[in-house]
């Protein structure tokens, strides 16, 4: 699962947090070694649009 499909699943299952994982790519989908993870709290009033807007700042917090 990827993109807005993940965000829709988070909303429909009423998850309390959501975030990003940066990982190495290997031969299996989403199974590479994790390099970085960051999460945020999902508010009860969040929508697909508000969740999507919370993700870009997390990507800029990746240590370089």
């Amino acid at each position: 699962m990827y993109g807005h499909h993940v965000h829709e699943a988070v909303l429909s299952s009423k998850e309390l947090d959501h975030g990003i994982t940066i990982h190495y790519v290997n031969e299996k989908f989403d199974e590479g070694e994790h390099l970085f993870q960051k999460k945020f709290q999902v508010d009860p009033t969040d929508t697909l649009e508000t969740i999507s807007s919370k993700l870009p700042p997390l990507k800029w917090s990746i240590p370089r």
Side-chain angles (χ1 to χ4, degrees), residues 1 6-7 11 13 35-36 38 47 50-52 57 59-60 63:
M1 193 179 328
V6 176
H7 312 323
L11 289 172
S13 63
L35 300 171
F36 177 80
K38 188 93 176 199
T47 64
T50 58
I51 282 183
S52 296
K59 294 175 185 175
W60 291 109

Side-chain angles (χ1 to χ4, degrees), residues 21-63:
T21 300
I22 306 298
H23 58 84
Y24 284 112
V25 175
N26 64 15
E27 63 279 349
K28 296 181 182 177
F29 187 74
D30 276 354
E31 290 190 13
E33 178 185 351
H34 291 179
L35 300 171
F36 177 80
Q37 287 186 308
K38 188 93 176 199
K39 65 181 180 177
F40 62 87
Q41 184 176 351
V42 177
D43 298 319
T45 58
D46 272 334
T47 64
L48 185 57
E49 292 76 24
T50 58
I51 282 183
S52 296
S53 71
K54 293 180 180 183
L55 291 168
L58 297 183
K59 294 175 185 175
W60 291 109
S61 68
I62 298 169

